[in-house]
Amino acid sequence: DFIYSLENDVKPSLGTSDEALNEFIERGIISWGHTRDLLERGLMFVKQARSPETSNRLCLLLEGAPTAGTSALAAYLAKNSDFPFVKVITSSEMVGYTESSKCLRIKKMFDDAYRSELSCIFMNDLEQLMGYSPIGPRYQSIVLDAMYSLLSSSPPKGRKLLVICTSKRREVLEELGLLPMFTAVLRVPYIREVEDVRMVLEESQAMSSAEVDEVCRHITHGEVFVGVKKLLGLLDTMRVMKDVDTQERVAAFCNLLEDEGVYKPSA
Amino acid sequence: DFIYSLENDVKPSLGTSDEALNEFIERGIISWGHTRDLLERGLMFVKQARSPETSNRLCLLLEGAPTAGTSALAAYLAKNSDFPFVKVITSSEMVGYTESSKCLRIKKMFDDAYRSELSCIFMNDLEQLMGYSPIGPRYQSIVLDAMYSLLSSSPPKGRKLLVICTSKRREVLEELGLLPMFTAVLRVPYIREVEDVRMVLEESQAMSSAEVDEVCRHITHGEVFVGVKKLLGLLDTMRVMKDVDTQERVAAFCNLLEDEGVYKPSA
Amino acid sequence: DFIYSLENDVKPSLGTSDEALNEFIERGIISWGHTRDLLERGLMFVKQARSPETSNRLCLLLEGAPTAGTSALAAYLAKNSDFPFVKVITSSEMVGYTESSKCLRIKKMFDDAYRSELSCIFMNDLEQLMGYSPIGPRYQSIVLDAMYSLLSSSPPKGRKLLVICTSKRREVLEELGLLPMFTAVLRVPYIREVEDVRMVLEESQAMSSAEVDEVCRHITHGEVFVGVKKLLGLLDTMRVMKDVDTQERVAAFCNLLEDEGVYKPSA
Amino acid sequence: DFIYSLENDVKPSLGTSDEALNEFIERGIISWGHTRDLLERGLMFVKQARSPETSNRLCLLLEGAPTAGTSALAAYLAKNSDFPFVKVITSSEMVGYTESSKCLRIKKMFDDAYRSELSCIFMNDLEQLMGYSPIGPRYQSIVLDAMYSLLSSSPPKGRKLLVICTSKRREVLEELGLLPMFTAVLRVPYIREVEDVRMVLEESQAMSSAEVDEVCRHITHGEVFVGVKKLLGLLDTMRVMKDVDTQERVAAFCNLLEDEGVYKPSA
Amino acid sequence: DFIYSLENDVKPSLGTSDEALNEFIERGIISWGHTRDLLERGLMFVKQARSPETSNRLCLLLEGAPTAGTSALAAYLAKNSDFPFVKVITSSEMVGYTESSKCLRIKKMFDDAYRSELSCIFMNDLEQLMGYSPIGPRYQSIVLDAMYSLLSSSPPKGRKLLVICTSKRREVLEELGLLPMFTAVLRVPYIREVEDVRMVLEESQAMSSAEVDEVCRHITHGEVFVGVKKLLGLLDTMRVMKDVDTQERVAAFCNLLEDEGVYKPSA
Amino acid sequence: DFIYSLENDVKPSLGTSDEALNEFIERGIISWGHTRDLLERGLMFVKQARSPETSNRLCLLLEGAPTAGTSALAAYLAKNSDFPFVKVITSSEMVGYTESSKCLRIKKMFDDAYRSELSCIFMNDLEQLMGYSPIGPRYQSIVLDAMYSLLSSSPPKGRKLLVICTSKRREVLEELGLLPMFTAVLRVPYIREVEDVRMVLEESQAMSSAEVDEVCRHITHGEVFVGVKKLLGLLDTMRVMKDVDTQERVAAFCNLLEDEGVYKPSA
Ligand SMILES: Nc1ncnc2c1ncn2[C@@H]1O[C@H](COP(=O)(O)OP(=O)(O)OP(=O)(O)O)[C@@H](O)[C@H]1O
Ligand SMILES: Nc1ncnc2c1ncn2[C@@H]1O[C@H](COP(=O)(O)OP(=O)(O)OP(=O)(O)O)[C@@H](O)[C@H]1O
Ligand SMILES: Nc1ncnc2c1ncn2[C@@H]1O[C@H](COP(=O)(O)OP(=O)(O)OP(=O)(O)O)[C@@H](O)[C@H]1O
Ligand SMILES: Nc1ncnc2c1ncn2[C@@H]1O[C@H](COP(=O)(O)OP(=O)(O)OP(=O)(O)O)[C@@H](O)[C@H]1O
Ligand SMILES: Nc1ncnc2c1ncn2[C@@H]1O[C@H](COP(=O)(O)OP(=O)(O)OP(=O)(O)O)[C@@H](O)[C@H]1O
Ligand SMILES: Nc1ncnc2c1ncn2[C@@H]1O[C@H](COP(=O)(O)OP(=O)(O)OP(=O)(O)O)[C@@H](O)[C@H]1O
Ligand SMILES: [Mg+2]
Ligand SMILES: [Mg+2]
Ligand SMILES: [Mg+2]
Ligand SMILES: [Mg+2]
Ligand SMILES: [Mg+2]
Ligand SMILES: [Mg+2]
């Protein structure tokens, strides 16, 4: 079942930030495995961030391997926080920025947020924001500094701030000493169970029920380990492969899974 | 018992620096374990710094692991130094600064201080001020130089200066040769004893007495190792978890402690 | 048989991008080994990129060792995508650019593309675009960042974008974490089989049939491993070596193959 | 006995450089251990520098671990050189300078000195002047170059120049190839002997004679290893600890020595 | 016999590029060992570059250890290419250029060349052009990038380009991935044979025939390994050593060979 | 005997370069050990550089450990070259220069030289000119490039250039590939023999003959290894130690030799 599409219907538009968030949830939220749980825990922290009895700053990190669906889930939380002020920070709007203009832009977001009583900032892919790359390794240390400072300083008295971040490289953030700045860290897992694959296949509507059954029967003879985004991408191939019969489609899809290394038949 | 809230009542406002200091002590000072001792030793050094018989510069370092409460204790000392001139230097006000504007800003603080007969400078998180990060490792060497020079040079004749600093990475300061610049280094420990946990739980008023008892009984079967700030943060979760019964709340909290790795049941 | 020359005849000119693409296919596409297969799979992804049912962004990577013919095949795909908007990004037009002007130029290409309903961007030699070189190693991290951001962000609603990239150093892109950004990665192989060598020799028309036979007979006694571009380059030597007899020409060419290390006689 | 305070009385003021030098000798020169010897050897080199029969440039280095008293002794020598032109170069007046403005400032000092017949330049903490820090390690190479050039080039004909430098990291200067530039290198040791501790304690007048005796008796049961500046700093604590009895003061001081790691009781 | 001086007589002047080329051939081309062969192969590639049937870009690399005579031979080829447009790129005309002005200058050379139907570019010492030095190692990566781009991009349709480069560090170019850009790589060897030494000695006319015989007889008892430029340089010493008898001159020269490490007598 | 003082008498002044050279020979040239030999060989190369029959560029390197007297000998050669144009390049005139202004200055020297028929350039301490320091290691690569280019490019037709350089770190120049640029490399040794020590002591006139005898007798019982500049520096101490008797002076000097590590008594 689709969590997002459901709730999405009843949400009033929040303007451009809302659109920016929607881009991350292009294909809705399919409720496989622990997705619902994870969102529940996330929403509990959102609630905690709103509460007047708690600390006036709460930082949440969602982290998962590439294509795990981390950004979509984080965007979902920000979208559903019901905070009147929501801002999205991504690296794609800062292509070609110098380190310090990046810092100033990020700082401005926080300063704007501080003017609202309840505000939520969504920062996607922290390590990418700081220009991290593993060869060297390299990263923009003054952007890291800015994050460090902004995540650790409190909003002015009477303001409450919720920061939701994502990361694909938890170990990097750990090494950089950023993890203790977060109130909580939620892990977004890969899909491992055949039943979860089935749910994604079904909800995606890229294959017929019979085909889905066939695929699922096939993959019980091995191990699946795939991000939901990756899996949805592979299903796109099925959408254009139309003029062949079911069996061929199933075989093609199973081959694709194997070629892409996300399914390994047992020896 | 609350040290800070108590004494706080009788202090006249010292202006903006005082506010800046207060931000670090958002949740007061709970007198667990050696807190009182540590503050006493700290205040003795404050007294020594004031004395006309002693060296005209005294540098104090409080160091502890992240969330140990280091900044709060250091801010408490600066606040209670009763020095007419108190200045706070944190990295969050210098986001996006170039290395040299950082230096100039810090130097200006010292120059201002030199104009007062008795002045106190609070520098939070030295390694963060110099943009230290462990991957590389990196740091802004001219900021380090500035610290080095400013910490080691005396105020003009007849002026007395107290510098209170904090750090989360004592070993870095040691390697950089900054430690010998300090008259004294005070270590802020993590909470280890059940009785200390109990005191924080009680003073925080996030749980009922019965719940606190229950939690404490539970954790005697293992090891606790947690910073006071972290512990207070976890208690915030209890504040919003309201519509469940005591037992569930206790279980939830004990799970939280274990999930967050701050409590390890014995094998 | 020539794939390119064939289809080329019936294509209307698409302007300057088309010319830029043609430069990469200077010598047509000779249909040796799996070339046809590879192009078919490639064109299937092109079709998938066009389909309104699929994700609105599809990134394809062709990767092969130097001289494998990677750029020609990728250019062929871009040329035959039939996308109304096609843009070519190569490093040779950005000689002497600063890192950030490079970023701006690349970003502009994407921004232009976003204005078209269906657009295709061809980026040749990703690692060279980011100034990668293995001694150090070095690369321009803000260009990498730009790629990272641009490859991972979606075009505006209702637009579809196809990005075709080439690389000679797949392992570098892998280490840099760029591979997960691609929907598919196609490997362009070297020529190993005598029959494939024969086809290239024949189609190139640099030698007589008899000479080709002779060469092929000779090289069955060893191993060939050569990129199609390299092989065509060696054949150029035959084109100017005119006033000697067949046997000498064959011997000269076989020596050349061996000298250049692309043919190893078995011990 | 106090060397400095004695001779200080009869010296006429030499202007601002003299004041700058005095700041380094805040607490006089207590004549413990080989202090007198070391100063005698230093003054002999000063005399040699003045002599018209010798080389027209003499560079002297005093080096010792942090808090050994190196700067005070070097300043003492510069002060007592009786050279009409004395200039002090320290890093604290160059906080936030760029590398090249540092160089220009230092060069200007030398150029000014060259205009005087007899001139003395005091450069405190060479490695700090060049922004040396051990993590990396880092240092400002053009400042190092400047030192290198200025220390090795002769003043104009008929001028004589004495340069007195200090260092806390002799091994760094050695590795950088700076040591051969010095005519002589004098080592400033730590205090090791109980009798030397006694002399510092007595001269400091921070404790009563009885207390000093008590402390000295106590520390014979272990090893002392401390810089004179550190020891004087610890004695400051005694100056403010007034309302307790002798025994407690002695115990407190002995504890302090042990806590600070400068006294180790034998096992 | 002198190859260069011979052919040089009949060549019309080609203007300044010709002069620049002549500077590299200060002492003519002595035809020792495989020199003639090597030049023949080189000229065959020059012919191939001119041919309308071949690829429109041909890059040739001559590489040899320092003093092997690499630059002279490459200049000889460029000079004798009979291409109407010849340009020389050396690092000595770009002393003090920034990296990017270097790039622009090199690019301009190529752009100019593209305007000619047949053009030849001579780039001396590639690794020096990119500021390579082995300590670090260091090199100017954007110059490397420029080379990479310019060597790999084709001239406009209908233009033919011949690039002749030299290098003293083939292994560096290999590691940087520049070698596959070359159509052919020719190695310039050191002199090893006594007969080759004899030819150089004779042609140089720095010694009498008798002296040459004597030297050659002497060095048969060991191993020679020397670049032709080095050998000619050592012979210069003979030119000024005039007022001593033959035997002394021979002995002096043999000693010189041994001292300079280019001749090793067998043990 | 004094080589320099002798010949110096009969030389006419050559202007400011001559003065600059004289500064390097402050204390004349004492003819110990192989000094005369070394100068003869050097002057033979000077003669070779002048000869119209030889290559139009000759680069000479004198290299020796610190204080070996390398600069004085090189300056002596430049001074006695009798070249009408002599220029001195040292790092002390370029303190605080940026890398590229350094390059421009050096290049200008060469350009000026090229205007003279016969010109000589003296570059002191190559590795210092390029800002070399062993920690890192670091050096200014564009200055290195400039040296590389300038040392390897020929003066215009009809001009002759002699470059005399010194170095204290031959191994660095070797690693950087600068050594093959030199026509010859002359090593300046340390003093090892007692007789050489005696000659320096005598010529220096810092001690009486009896004292010299005494010192020489003493040091036969061990090993001496010292640069002539260092030794002359130590003798300066003797010049100011006047009011003590011979025996004390001898003992003092022998101690000094031992303390400074230049004399090691045999075990
Ligand atoms: N349960 C789910 N969790 C997350 N995403 C889901 C889920 N169901 C469907 N999706 C869809 O999967 C896609 C996940 O993409 P998303 O960008 O979040 O992945 P990601 O892990 O951030 O990838 P990347 O490695 O590129 O950052 C979105 O289009 C989202 O709408
Ligand atoms: N005994 C105590 N010591 C320190 N802090 C206390 C104590 N009791 C309560 N607190 C509260 O705990 C919090 C400690 O936060 P603080 O910023 O000092 O921690 P920190 O160790 O500096 O954390 P960080 O790693 O983020 O720098 C403050 O809100 C303070 O009011
Ligand atoms: N089957 C084929 N595949 C690829 N190229 C072919 C094929 N047949 C002929 N060619 C020709 O071979 C040449 C391949 O050159 P291309 O630039 O694509 O190689 P490359 O691997 O990208 O080389 P480089 O390492 O220089 O980037 C082109 O001129 C192309 O026209
Ligand atoms: N014998 C002595 N030698 C040196 N300093 C002495 C002596 N007796 C007393 N002092 C006092 O001790 C202090 C030594 O401080 P100084 O700054 O010289 O130490 P330092 O080794 O340079 O320290 P740092 O490591 O901070 O550079 C001065 O205040 C000086 O007046
Ligand atoms: N057969 C030959 N091959 C090359 N050079 C020769 C030959 N015979 C004579 N020469 C002369 O030898 C000299 C070779 O110098 P060249 O600059 O080419 O050497 P190189 O190897 O490039 O040296 P470097 O290491 O300085 O770059 C030239 O003056 C040239 O005229
Ligand atoms: N035989 C000699 N050789 C060299 N220098 C001599 C000799 N005799 C006397 N001298 C004197 O010794 C001094 C040598 O100093 P010089 O600057 O040449 O040494 P250096 O090895 O270059 O030292 P540095 O390591 O500082 O560069 C000069 O003052 C020179 O006049
Ligand atoms: Mg993501
Ligand atoms: Mg803190
Ligand atoms: Mg290619
Ligand atoms: Mg000091
Ligand atoms: Mg050359
Ligand atoms: Mg020298």
Side-chain angles (χ1 to χ4, degrees), chain C residues 167-204:
Chain C
S167 166
K168 291 180 204 158
R169 298 181 178 268
R170 182 199 163 111
E171 74 287 357
V172 170
L173 301 196
E174 184 144 32
E175 206 179 338
L176 290 171
L178 274 173
L179 285 198
M181 330 248 58
F182 291 97
T183 312
V185 178
L186 304 181
R187 167 143 203 97
V188 181
Y190 266 20
I191 297 172
R192 292 200 115 106
E193 305 297 325
V194 174
E195 283 324 292
D196 291 333
V197 175
R198 179 191 300 278
M199 177 164 287
V200 175
L201 263 51
E202 271 168 5
E203 300 285 353
S204 78

Side-chain angles (χ1 to χ4, degrees), chain F residues 27 30 200 204 227-236 239:
Chain F
R27 309 190 154 214
I30 300 172
V200 174
S204 78
V228 65
K229 184 181 174 188
K230 177 82 191 174
L231 190 55
L232 290 171
L234 297 178
L235 283 164
D236 272 354
R239 289 185 211 275

Side-chain angles (χ1 to χ4, degrees), chain A residues 71 124-125 168:
Chain A
S71 303
N124 195 38
D125 273 346
K168 291 179 203 158

Side-chain angles (χ1 to χ4, degrees), chain E residues 148-159:
Chain E
Y148 210 85
S149 295
L150 292 170
L151 289 178
S152 72
S153 67
S154 298
K157 209 149 194 171
R159 310 280 186 228

Side-chain angles (χ1 to χ4, degrees), chain C residues 14-255:
Chain C
L14 290 167
T16 58
S17 288
D18 207 51
E19 278 170 31
L21 291 174
N22 278 340
E23 270 187 28
F24 287 99
I25 327 176
E26 200 193 343
R27 309 192 155 213
I29 302 289
I30 299 172
S31 179
W32 67 272
H34 302 289
T35 300
R36 198 174 288 270
D37 243 49
L38 199 151
L39 288 177
E40 248 166 51
R41 285 175 58 208
L43 288 170
M44 195 207 63
F45 282 111
V46 170
K47 188 172 151 205
Q48 178 173 330
R50 301 179 70 96
S51 161
E53 291 171 277
T54 59
S55 177
N56 53 9
R57 172 179 32 110
L58 191 153
C59 304
L60 198 61
L61 179 69
L62 275 81
E63 56 91 10
T67 78
T70 315
S71 303
L73 294 176
Y76 179 88
L77 291 177
K79 205 176 145 73
N80 291 279
S81 68
D82 268 333
F83 273 50
F85 180 97
V86 183
K87 276 289 172 199
V88 177
I89 303 179
T90 66
S91 63
S92 64
E93 55 170 326
M94 294 190 278
V95 167
Y97 274 43
T98 62
E99 285 192 51
S100 68
S101 13
K102 256 196 200 176
C103 288
L104 291 179
R105 176 127 188 78
I106 297 176
K107 182 160 172 39
K108 180 155 189 324
M109 293 286 198
F110 276 80
D111 286 344
D112 287 356
Y114 289 161
R115 274 196 283 276
S116 223
E117 214 171 302
L118 274 183
S119 50
C120 170
I121 289 178
F122 170 51
M123 293 211 276
N124 195 37
D125 273 345
L126 290 190
E127 63 278 349
Q128 189 178 337
L129 273 174
M130 68 175 87
Y132 179 84
S133 68
I135 298 185
R138 299 216 197 138
Y139 55 95
Q140 300 172 324
S141 35
I142 74 162
V143 179
L144 170 63
D145 275 4
M147 285 182 187
Y148 210 86
S149 294
L150 292 170
L151 289 178
S152 72
S153 68
S154 298
K157 208 150 195 171
R159 310 282 186 226
K160 301 219 73 176
L161 176 67
L162 165 65
V163 188
I164 303 179
C165 303
T166 72
S167 166
K168 291 180 204 158
R169 298 181 178 268
R170 182 199 163 111
E171 74 287 357
V172 170
L173 301 196
E174 184 144 32
E175 206 179 338
L176 290 171
L178 274 173
L179 285 198
M181 330 248 58
F182 291 97
T183 312
V185 178
L186 304 181
R187 167 143 203 97
V188 181
Y190 266 20
I191 297 172
R192 292 200 115 106
E193 305 297 325
V194 174
E195 283 324 292
D196 291 333
V197 175
R198 179 191 300 278
M199 177 164 287
V200 175
L201 263 51
E202 271 168 5
E203 300 285 353
S204 78
Q205 294 175 323
M207 298 174 126
S208 71
S209 280
E211 287 169 349
V212 170
D213 283 349
E214 203 59 43
V215 167
C216 289
R217 194 165 322 130
H218 182 88
I219 60 175
T220 49
H221 306 300
E223 272 178 42
V224 183
F225 193 59
V226 64
V228 65
K229 183 180 173 189
K230 177 83 192 171
L231 190 55
L232 290 171
L234 297 178
L235 283 165
D236 270 355
T237 302
M238 289 299 103
R239 289 186 211 274
V240 290
M241 189 191 287
K242 278 190 166 143
D243 32 13
V244 296
D245 63 22
T246 286
Q247 212 159 345
E248 212 171 314
R249 278 169 56 89
V250 165
F253 188 67
C254 290
N255 281 345

Side-chain angles (χ1 to χ4, degrees), chain B residues 31-227:
Chain B
S31 180
W32 67 272
H34 301 290
T35 300
R36 198 175 287 271
D37 243 48
L38 200 151
L39 288 178
E40 248 165 49
R41 285 176 59 208
L43 289 170
M44 196 207 62
F45 283 111
V46 169
K47 188 172 152 205
Q48 178 173 331
R50 301 179 69 96
S51 159
E53 290 171 277
T54 60
S55 177
N56 54 8
R57 172 180 31 109
L58 191 153
C59 305
L60 198 61
L61 178 70
L62 275 81
E63 56 91 10
T67 77
T70 316
S71 303
L73 294 176
Y76 179 87
L77 291 177
K79 204 176 147 72
N80 291 278
S81 67
D82 267 332
F83 274 50
F85 180 97
V86 183
K87 277 288 171 199
V88 176
I89 303 178
T90 65
S91 63
S92 65
E93 54 170 327
M94 295 190 278
V95 167
Y97 274 43
T98 63
E99 285 192 52
S100 67
S101 14
K102 255 196 203 176
C103 288
L104 291 180
R105 176 128 188 80
I106 297 176
K107 183 162 171 39
K108 179 152 190 327
M109 293 286 198
F110 276 80
D111 286 345
D112 288 356
Y114 289 161
R115 275 197 282 277
S116 223
E117 215 171 302
L118 274 182
S119 50
C120 170
I121 290 178
F122 170 52
M123 292 211 276
N124 194 36
D125 274 346
L126 289 189
E127 64 278 349
Q128 189 178 338
L129 273 174
M130 67 175 88
Y132 179 85
S133 68
I135 298 186
R138 301 219 195 137
Y139 56 96
Q140 300 173 323
S141 34
I142 72 162
V143 179
L144 170 62
D145 276 5
M147 284 181 188
Y148 210 83
S149 296
L150 292 170
L151 288 178
S152 71
S153 67
S154 298
K157 209 150 194 168
R159 310 282 186 227
K160 303 219 73 178
L161 176 67
L162 165 65
V163 188
I164 302 178
C165 304
T166 73
S167 166
K168 290 180 204 158
R169 297 181 179 268
R170 182 199 162 111
E171 73 288 355
V172 169
L173 302 196
E174 183 144 33
E175 207 179 338
L176 290 170
L178 274 174
L179 283 198
M181 332 248 58
F182 290 97
T183 312
V185 178
L186 305 181
R187 168 143 203 98
V188 181
Y190 266 19
I191 297 172
R192 292 200 116 106
E193 306 296 325
V194 173
E195 282 323 292
D196 291 332
V197 175
R198 179 192 299 278
M199 177 165 287
V200 175
L201 263 52
E202 271 169 4
E203 299 286 353
S204 78
Q205 295 174 323
M207 298 175 125
S208 71
S209 281
E211 287 168 350
V212 171
D213 283 348
E214 204 59 44
V215 167
C216 290
R217 196 167 320 131
H218 182 86
I219 61 177
T220 50
H221 307 299
E223 274 178 42
V224 182
F225 193 60
V226 63

